[in-house]
Amino acid sequence: MASLPALALLLLVSCSGASALAPPLALPVPGTRHIDPTLPGWLPENRARLDALLSARGASSPGYDPAHRPVATFDWDNTMMRNDIGDITMAWMLQHDEILQPPARDWGVTSHGLTPAARASLNAACDAGGEPGKPLATRENPGCADAIYAIYDGARTTAKEPAWTPPVTLTLNEAYAWLAKLLAGHTPAEVARFTHDAYVEASQAPIGATMTVGSNTGVNAYVRIYPTMRDLVGALQADGFDVWIVSASPQHVSEVVAHEVGIGADHVIGIRTVPGADGRLGYALEPCGEMPADSVITFNRGKRCFINRVIFHQPPAAQLPRADAAHRQAFAAGDSDTDVAFVQDATDLKLVLDRNKVELMCNADSNAGGRWLVQPMFIDPFPPRTAPYPCATALDAAGQPLLDEDGHRMRDQVPR
């Protein structure tokens, strides 16, 4: 029989009222690892509900099955860490000549989504920068760096022409995928080396620091892993959860920073490209489910697809939500509209780092089932929003009305 504290915590987790888990904290189950109370930043109610989840589903809870551990899934960029490791890595590559000239100087090889204008812009700026398969001299050639950075960062050429057709779908962000493809020709170890160097430099830069990439000034130059989120990962792992990172940064980039919070490469799902026979990374994307080739990455519903396929081994229609709670994560955390699908899928708690993203915050503030937690960013949080989110009229990336996890239209939401 469950102890009285355990039963109380189970009732608290299942309660749909947002205030049911407000302080004071429930007594912990003996042996349960809770969040470090000395770390500042958590809203008290969020800390209490996360502690209750650890007690209710962790290794000390009634019914815990070590053969079927509860799963926790985290986005990385701006969820685990302030700012974006993919952006930092792209800047480093341009500043240190780490992008290789594509075969036959054919930029279409790097992505079928590039427009003719984008390919022409890259040829004009970068053809003289290096031989095929050799490093492009982007450090000494700011025009080439600018051509690449404009397409990656702004989805347009330096002449302001559209660079992608289309730039975003429900399973693909072309710019994010392009960063992974521009690692082609490198070994995973080489990518790990320069990603680590980029991360160390950015993690030691002052908060708010900027840099110049090509001729682009004011580019963000710093990152910080949130101590609170590192501690949460440690608490989940100590309590027997199966903890994963699911990131829209490249696989071998994401592995480097995931290591910093104690998550191994075998529990990281990033944008995956297919390596060649020589072990060097290639341009083709690893498929997921029944999606056409090069049409899905760990982005938006693509995150759900890879979670279903890699973690829960659920083929083939992996981008669809699973009805069976045993094949869904207990906990998920994200910060962006492109995290909505996999955060919705969590059965117990859904943590949102508030960056005023309309679709995500409409879901969080609608709070279906009372399972959504809203947490201000731990570094340089946005000012509280006062205007309601336009949930009734906003559209998703496919141009469809916003729906909550139960498939219902949402009313406009006042931020909570």
Side-chain angles (χ1 to χ4, degrees):
M1 178 179 290
S3 66
L4 289 176
L7 286 172
L9 287 164
L10 285 167
L11 289 171
L12 287 171
V13 168
S14 64
C15 180
S16 61
S19 63
L21 291 171
L25 300 181
L27 292 174
V29 174
T32 297
R33 155 85 148 87
H34 279 184
I35 297 172
D36 183 349
T38 68
L39 285 176
W42 286 115
L43 296 181
E45 181 176 306
N46 291 346
R47 185 198 302 272
R49 297 197 69 181
L50 290 166
D51 278 346
L53 173 70
L54 291 164
S55 293
R57 296 297 307 273
S60 298
S61 66
Y64 178 82
D65 181 359
H68 299 91
R69 296 185 294 159
V71 171
T73 52
F74 290 82
D75 168 60
W76 183 267
D77 299 304
N78 282 303
T79 299
M80 295 297 298
M81 180 179 78
R82 188 68 163 94
N83 294 322
D84 190 302
I85 192 60
D87 291 350
I88 290 292
T89 303
M90 171 61 92
W92 178 273
M93 292 168 69
L94 291 171
Q95 291 172 329
H96 294 82
D97 299 348
E98 295 287 4
I99 296 175
L100 307 184
Q101 180 77 270
R105 295 182 170 85
D106 179 6
W107 286 91
V109 172
T110 68
S111 177
H112 301 306
L114 286 167
T115 62
R119 296 196 301 272
S121 173
L122 291 163
N123 285 131
C126 300
D127 273 5
E131 295 299 313
K134 301 298 183 182
L136 281 168
T138 47
R139 177 169 43 187
E140 301 300 326
N141 181 359
C144 180
D146 288 350
I148 295 171
Y149 192 75
I151 291 168
Y152 170 75
D153 187 60
R156 292 187 174 272
T157 68
T158 52
K160 307 303 181 185
E161 298 173 288
W164 303 107
T165 55
V168 174
T169 71
L170 286 173
T171 58
L172 179 66
N173 181 303
E174 288 281 11
Y176 294 175
W178 198 44
L179 171 58
K181 294 178 179 187
L182 291 181
L183 301 173
H186 289 292
T187 65
E190 289 169 346
V191 174
R193 171 189 55 77
F194 63 69
T195 298
H196 177 264
D197 291 346
Y199 166 73
V200 169
E201 182 175 287
S203 66
Q204 294 176 352
I207 290 177
T210 62
M211 59 183 161
T212 298
V213 178
S215 63
N216 299 277
T217 59
V219 176
N220 173 66
Y222 87 93
V223 298
R224 290 291 189 281
I225 291 173
Y226 294 131
T228 42
M229 298 300 278
R230 181 189 280 114
D231 176 66
L232 176 57
V233 165
L236 287 162
Q237 290 172 327
D239 276 343
F241 281 72
D242 191 17
V243 183
W244 292 73
I245 296 296
V246 186
S247 173
S249 288
Q251 176 72 28
H252 301 292
V253 170
S254 301
E255 289 175 4
V256 170
V257 285
H259 176 78
E260 298 291 324
V261 299
I263 296 178
D266 62 343
H267 274 60
V268 175
I269 312 174
I271 301 175
R272 298 176 171 185
T273 51
V274 180
D278 60 359
R280 295 184 178 274
L281 300 175
Y283 294 108
L285 296 172
E286 183 178 303
C288 186
E290 297 178 326
M291 300 293 292
D294 270 22
S295 67
V296 58
I297 61 172
T298 41
F299 173 83
N300 207 330
R301 293 185 188 174
K303 287 192 174 185
R304 170 188 284 153
C305 185
F306 277 95
I307 288 170
N308 287 344
R309 180 173 73 80
V310 176
I311 301 176
F312 295 108
H313 312 291
Q314 295 294 300
Q319 69 164 318
L320 300 176
R322 313 304 297 183
D324 184 358
H327 293 141
R328 290 161 60 190
Q329 56 269 35
F331 171 81
D335 72 283
S336 172
D337 290 347
T338 61
D339 296 325
V340 166
F342 93 91
V343 176
Q344 282 183 340
D345 289 349
T347 59
D348 289 47
L349 282 183
K350 311 154 199 286
L351 175 65
V352 169
L353 275 289
D354 185 2
R355 294 204 300 135
N356 291 345
K357 299 297 184 179
V358 171
E359 184 176 0
L360 183 64
M361 296 311 299
C362 284
N363 275 268
D365 290 329
S366 292
N367 197 21
R371 293 183 292 266
W372 291 77
L373 310 182
V374 176
Q375 172 68 42
M377 291 185 294
F378 297 103
I379 296 175
D380 195 19
F382 289 0
R385 180 183 171 109
T386 56
Y389 287 102
C391 310
T393 54
L395 303 176
D396 66 15
Q400 300 298 315
L402 303 187
L403 303 176
D404 68 17
E405 63 205 74
D406 298 319
H408 301 145
R409 294 283 294 270
M410 291 180 280
R411 300 190 300 271
D412 290 354
Q413 293 293 321
V414 175
R416 61 185 171 105

